[in-house]
Amino acid sequence: MNNNQELDYQYTGEYQPGNNTKDTDGRTYYPYLPSDDLKSAVNLAIALERPLLLEGEPGCGKTRLASAVAYEFSQKYLQQNQWWDYYIWNIKSTTRARDGLYRYDAVARLRDAQLMGTDPQRLQDFLGIVEVGDLKKRLQDKKNYREFGALGKALQEHQYRPILLIDEIDKADSDFANDLLLELEELRFEIPETLESYPTPQRKPIIFITSNREKPLPEPFLRRCLYFFVQYPNEKQLKQIIDKRFGTLQDKEELVKQAMNRFYEIRSGLTNIPGSRAPGTSEFIEFMTALLNKNDVEKALNDLHNLSDKLPLLGTLLKTKKDQELYRKKQ
Amino acid sequence: MSNLQPIKIDSLLLDLFQELRKAGMALTLEQYELLRKAITLGYGLGGWQDIKRVCRLLWVKPCPNYDINIFDRTFESYIQQHHEKIPVETEAPSTEENITSSSSVKPPPNLPQIPPRKWKSQSFQTTNEVKVPVALKTSSPLTKFEDARNNFHLNPTDYPIKLQDVETTWRLLKQPVRVAWDYELDVEATLEKIERDGIFTDIVMGPVKSRKTELLLLIDDNSAMIPFFPALQPFIQAIAEARITPARIYRFTSYPSEYLYDWYHPALAQALTDILPKLHRNRTICLILSDAGAATNTYSQERIEGISKFLAALSPCIRQLIWLNPLPPQRWEQNSAITVDAILNGKMLTYEAASLRTVTREIPQENMINTWQMYPHQGNPTEKT
């Protein structure tokens, strides 16, 4: 406990998971190569205790950053086989700000109360003695009907500063970000149903927020965040990412090089064309997986050469018919 | 040197903060405090580029008030003016710049070439005392230049309705409405029922609350309206930037007859019989921007009839009708605008932010139009709301 205070929470990007690293929740961790700017952004956000808002084109690694930080911290500060507290809150169009804090199941409580009011003998016949006992116990405390969301969990006291990822915040309703202002600013919340209140924890969560810029975020919300635009990796970084992800590929060096050339050719052909979307890193990794799964390097090279005819392979990079036709026409 | 550094950085940062505010970034004191905190924690001490990186992280956001272009431009010119001021220990490029003669200092590509100034070589030796004169020297030619331009420069912030107003209004108009298509459990009503009956008999279902609202923006493009177009820009911009979704913009000339025309492609006609059925009584809000003849002070029976016919067809299909007139009410007298106002039950509003606030307080679908009273021979004399 006493060494908790000494943690400096520095993200260096030096700890990389091996193949197929999974935590106790079954989440897979992948290697992540942050740029220097990104590293300093992460460290600054941690030091200033502000959320870090990440934007960038799809597939450039916004979401993966949080898990990379969680992985590094578990390696650096925790004992083996322990995992850092890492919460993910995936936003959908129907998500309300309160859902992230807690849900209160008033209907279940109503049902339980009604059941208790019926004839006790018949209730016991119907539910069995154990279930009736459970029901009684449950009904005694209102708190049994509330369930915490990712944000609610992260805002409670922890041994270390937990990591929270709020993924794709722009998916939600336009008021969503404004509803979160108090919780993000003061990092505390209340539950009116049970009259509980959770004060600001001593070890504040490290919050990452990602956005795809589908909707503009309100200014008061932006003011409370640090903002970082994740740049698309350049050729050298992409090569490093591939090396990290697929391990050493001595005999396939040529294939990787060719594939990257193809990839950048397609990317540059599609940027600035309205209505088209240039493929990102995640697509390229799929593309590479498809290529490397072929044991025969010659054949893979051949496929790469005639990419415009190999529809399934091309489909990993270009996701619409229009884009594929555009590419074919250019050939 | 090292114990001088924090003080110097402090005053520099404050200066920089002011400079960026002047350039148009809406920075708050809190954001300055945040930077101070970052500096005390040891960030941004590695020279100008490091400071810039930290400031950018803290201050640049994806919205016009915290624009990256303003930031980059202002910051670069600031570095150019003051780059000797900070004791740079580690950074190679800026010391290099100091050693080479001041004429070789290269400005960023987006700035006009400024002839080298004499004071640079002076301040190079004495780092402390020249600060105030420097600021004076550089700012004076700039303001003079601006003054000269101000005589014929139209400042877009002077328009009555700003993008911010449009957004706020839209948020208020989007209030959830109970729509009877889908039903959900109404917990509150159920509890009330139990209380009333004394026993739980059945749950109460209520229509799902929905906040689906769509905007139909109709802009009059007759020649008298053209001078007002720049002022209407916030609405068009809000739709183009998807701040208001879903939304459609159409144009019409004086009054919509059988067709409405696409805003961006005026040659593209869409029949009213195509558009009206796609509107929704509980969702669509129609906003009309037109002078209704007030700009040219003409009274046209044709226009009035055309408008009333259109409104009679439109009003059953929409939730709320808003008409903003860019001319003040005094100018509506003696021309068709006053009659159109009467058709609208006196709900024609002037083009200003206060009108938008009025609109948000209005109860929709209440006496939207008044055609049958104005033209009993023309409209349907039977009940119609």
Side-chain angles (χ1 to χ4, degrees):
Chain A
M1 236 354 223
N2 52 351
N3 61 351
N4 293 343
Q5 266 68 40
E6 293 159 24
L7 291 190
D8 53 351
Y9 298 103
Q10 281 289 322
Y11 175 58
T12 57
E14 281 161 15
Y15 294 78
Q16 300 293 349
N19 259 347
N20 232 340
T21 312
K22 283 192 178 155
D23 67 7
T24 42
D25 291 339
R27 288 187 287 228
T28 317
Y29 291 82
Y30 296 101
Y32 192 86
L33 297 167
S35 65
D36 286 346
D37 278 351
L38 183 55
K39 273 187 271 183
S40 69
V42 171
N43 288 326
L44 191 61
I46 294 173
L48 292 176
E49 298 173 341
R50 290 287 172 132
L52 179 63
L53 173 64
L54 298 158
E55 279 192 352
E57 55 177 293
C60 66
K62 301 182 292 289
T63 308
R64 293 252 188 269
L65 173 70
S67 65
V69 177
Y71 178 80
E72 175 166 329
F73 284 1
S74 354
Q75 294 296 306
K76 235 164 54 174
Y77 303 122
L78 297 182
Q79 295 183 350
Q80 211 150 30
N81 293 328
Q82 281 190 326
W83 292 94
W84 200 264
D85 293 312
Y86 169 39
Y87 305 102
I88 304 176
W89 184 13
N90 287 310
I91 306 295
K92 293 179 192 132
S93 66
T94 51
T95 308
R96 286 167 306 173
R98 213 182 57 188
D99 297 345
L101 292 167
Y102 69 93
R103 278 170 191 276
Y104 191 78
D105 199 348
V107 180
R109 185 155 174 261
L110 179 67
R111 181 203 58 210
D112 288 355
Q114 288 294 330
L115 281 175
M116 279 322 279
T118 52
D119 181 12
Q121 186 53 48
R122 268 167 59 199
L123 181 67
Q124 216 169 81
D125 292 348
F126 183 54
L127 282 178
I129 190 123
V130 183
E131 189 81 355
V132 172
D134 281 353
L135 198 149
K136 268 184 194 155
K137 218 183 280 166
R138 197 159 63 214
L139 204 54
Q140 269 159 8
D141 196 351
K142 280 180 179 179
K143 288 175 192 164
N144 291 327
Y145 296 96
R146 60 127 168 73
E147 200 179 324
F148 288 107
L151 179 60
K153 283 182 199 157
L155 289 182
Q156 294 175 33
E157 216 42 85
H158 282 75
Q159 260 198 331
Y160 309 98
R161 291 178 63 181
I163 291 174
L164 169 68
L165 169 68
I166 303 178
D167 203 12
E168 312 209 29
I169 194 165
D170 54 334
K171 291 267 181 297
D173 191 88
S174 50
D175 285 343
F176 178 81
N178 276 334
D179 291 347
L180 273 181
L181 289 182
L182 175 80
E183 282 79 16
L184 289 184
E185 172 112 65
E186 298 180 15
L187 300 170
R188 62 179 178 83
F189 69 104
E190 278 158 16
I191 304 181
E193 282 91 340
T194 57
L195 302 173
E196 287 172 289
S197 77
Y198 287 83
T200 313
Q202 203 190 345
R203 297 184 189 88
K204 295 176 182 137
I206 298 165
I207 304 176
F208 296 98
I209 302 171
T210 71
S211 157
N212 276 326
R213 261 199 198 186
E214 277 179 17
K215 280 178 217 152
L217 293 165
E219 225 171 86
F221 174 79
L222 291 172
R223 257 206 312 274
R224 284 166 177 81
C225 300
L226 301 197
Y227 172 71
F228 189 82
F229 189 87
V230 184
Q231 288 294 342
Y232 193 78
N234 60 28
E235 226 158 305
K236 212 175 118 201
Q237 286 165 323
L238 192 64
K239 180 80 179 42
Q240 283 176 332
I241 290 170
I242 292 298
D243 287 352
K244 274 264 149 49
R245 185 68 182 264
F246 294 102
T248 43
L249 300 160
Q250 272 128 1
D251 49 333
K252 294 178 179 169
E253 199 65 30
E254 179 59 26
L255 181 64
V256 174
K257 212 176 127 200
Q258 291 268 351
M260 276 179 61
N261 287 344
R262 259 299 136 84
F263 174 66
Y264 273 96
E265 189 185 291
I266 290 173
R267 248 184 86 79
S268 59
L270 280 184
T271 28
N272 295 330
I273 292 179
S276 294
R277 198 177 80 71
T281 321
S282 44
E283 277 100 340
F284 183 60
I285 287 175
E286 268 170 41
F287 178 63
M288 281 311 297
T289 320
L291 276 178
L292 293 171
N293 273 344
K294 295 196 168 74
N295 289 323
D296 188 357
V297 180
E298 270 315 301
K299 199 160 168 285
L301 271 172
N302 203 23
D303 279 0
L304 202 56
H305 196 69
N306 304 316
L307 187 58
S308 47
D309 298 329
K310 300 284 172 196
L311 259 189
L313 193 57
L314 189 64
T316 57
L317 287 180
L318 299 173
K319 305 285 161 103
T320 64
K321 196 158 179 290
K322 186 181 144 234
D323 288 355
Q324 292 183 350
E325 269 162 16
L326 208 73
Y327 174 72
R328 252 183 250 154
K329 242 179 248 167
K330 279 196 179 160
Q331 289 301 298
Chain B
M1 198 164 184
S2 58
N3 57 356
L4 266 173
Q5 198 177 349
I7 308 161
K8 212 183 280 172
I9 282 185
D10 252 12
S11 68
L12 257 176
L13 291 180
L14 188 61
D15 202 26
L16 185 65
F17 175 77
Q18 310 268 30
E19 203 73 25
L20 284 168
R21 272 190 65 92
K22 240 186 274 168
M25 287 181 80
L27 296 170
T28 60
L29 269 181
E30 195 210 347
Q31 281 165 305
Y32 178 65
E33 277 304 312
L34 206 59
L35 177 70
R36 290 266 314 268
K37 199 172 154 199
I39 299 282
T40 27
L41 285 168
Y43 289 89
L45 294 173
W48 275 114
Q49 286 313 316
D50 203 18
I51 289 195
K52 186 176 173 185
R53 184 152 75 177
V54 172
C55 290
R56 188 168 51 209
L57 271 171
L58 296 180
W59 292 348
V60 170
K61 323 264 153 157
C63 69
N65 274 340
Y66 302 96
D67 188 54
I68 182 136
N69 294 322
I70 299 179
F71 175 85
D72 276 347
R73 205 163 52 229
T74 316
F75 210 102
E76 280 306 322
S77 66
Y78 192 84
I79 293 181
Q80 270 216 319
Q81 289 169 27
H82 300 272
H83 67 111
E84 325 77 356
K85 288 256 184 73
I86 195 161
V88 186
E89 291 134 349
T90 48
E91 243 211 348
S94 66
T95 39
E96 226 171 71
E97 265 179 78
N98 277 346
I99 294 160
T100 51
S101 73
S102 54
S103 62
S104 74
V105 177
K106 46 179 197 305
N110 56 348
L111 278 181
Q113 191 83 36
I114 304 166
R117 296 201 178 90
K118 267 188 187 159
W119 50 264
K120 253 180 190 164
S121 49
Q122 290 165 3
S123 62
F124 172 46
Q125 285 133 9
T126 54
T127 43
N128 253 336
E129 21 134 10
V130 267
K131 193 161 176 222
V132 180
V134 165
L136 279 176
K137 267 197 174 183
T138 49
S139 63
S140 59
L142 263 178
T143 45
K144 229 185 244 164
F145 181 55
E146 269 181 4
D147 279 347
R149 279 181 58 178
N150 270 349
N151 292 336
F152 50 85
H153 188 73
L154 190 61
N155 194 347
T157 53
D158 293 343
Y159 291 130
I161 294 183
K162 300 191 183 73
L163 186 60
Q164 187 84 43
D165 303 322
V166 175
E167 268 180 61
T168 319
T169 311
W170 183 245
R171 208 170 301 138
L172 290 172
L173 284 174
K174 263 180 85 177
Q175 266 149 4
V177 184
R178 286 212 179 263
V179 184
W181 291 117
D182 215 355
Y183 287 87
E184 67 181 358
L185 172 65
D186 190 337
V187 178
E188 253 156 61
T190 309
L191 290 174
E192 219 170 80
K193 190 164 182 278
I194 295 169
E195 220 166 89
R196 207 173 47 235
D197 301 351
I199 185 169
F200 174 61
T201 47
D202 198 7
I203 49 168
V204 180
M205 301 292 275
V208 173
K209 264 194 180 182
S210 135
R211 44 185 314 152
K212 282 189 188 127
T213 305
E214 53 192 43
L215 181 70
L216 176 69
L217 176 59
L218 304 178
I219 301 178
D220 189 349
D221 71 349
N222 78 64
S223 47
M225 276 294 289
I226 290 170
F228 299 108
F229 278 5
L232 311 182
Q233 199 56 35
F235 285 98
I236 298 162
Q237 190 189 346
I239 292 172
E241 290 175 1
R243 288 164 200 268
I244 297 181
T245 50
R248 274 171 298 174
I249 324 180
Y250 293 105
R251 55 170 81 211
F252 62 91
T253 310
S254 297
Y255 61 88
S257 48
E258 276 160 39
Y259 296 95
L260 286 171
Y261 300 88
D262 192 277
W263 176 252
Y264 296 102
H265 309 97
L268 224 68
Q270 278 223 36
L272 271 184
T273 47
D274 271 355
I275 294 174
L276 293 184
K278 286 178 192 150
L279 305 178
H280 196 293
R281 188 174 166 74
N282 289 324
R283 294 186 202 143
T284 311
I285 293 174
C286 178
L287 170 62
I288 302 177
L289 302 173
S290 165
D291 68 316
T296 47
N297 200 18
T298 45
Y299 187 92
S300 149
Q301 190 62 37
E302 185 201 342
R303 187 175 196 158
I304 293 169
E305 273 172 24
I307 287 174
S308 60
K309 231 184 239 168
F310 170 69
L311 292 181
L314 175 76
S315 55
C317 310
I318 56 171
R319 186 172 110 199
Q320 197 170 358
L321 176 66
I322 308 165
W323 189 307
L324 298 183
N325 192 326
L327 282 123
Q330 301 90 296
R331 294 279 302 272
W332 303 350
E333 315 275 341
Q334 315 281 326
N335 56 49
S336 7
I338 191 78
T339 319
V340 175
D341 185 33
I343 295 173
L344 292 165
N345 266 330
K347 294 229 182 87
M348 187 188 275
L349 297 163
T350 47
Y351 189 81
E352 59 186 332
S355 308
L356 289 180
R357 282 192 288 278
T358 318
V359 154
T360 56
R361 283 193 297 266
E362 209 168 75
I363 304 157
Q365 282 170 357
E366 202 179 66
N367 306 325
M368 204 185 298
I369 56 160
N370 213 352
T371 335
W372 62 98
Q373 278 172 13
M374 293 299 302
Y375 300 95
H377 60 279
Q378 210 186 60
N380 193 350
T382 51
E383 271 299 293
K384 190 164 134 195
T385 41

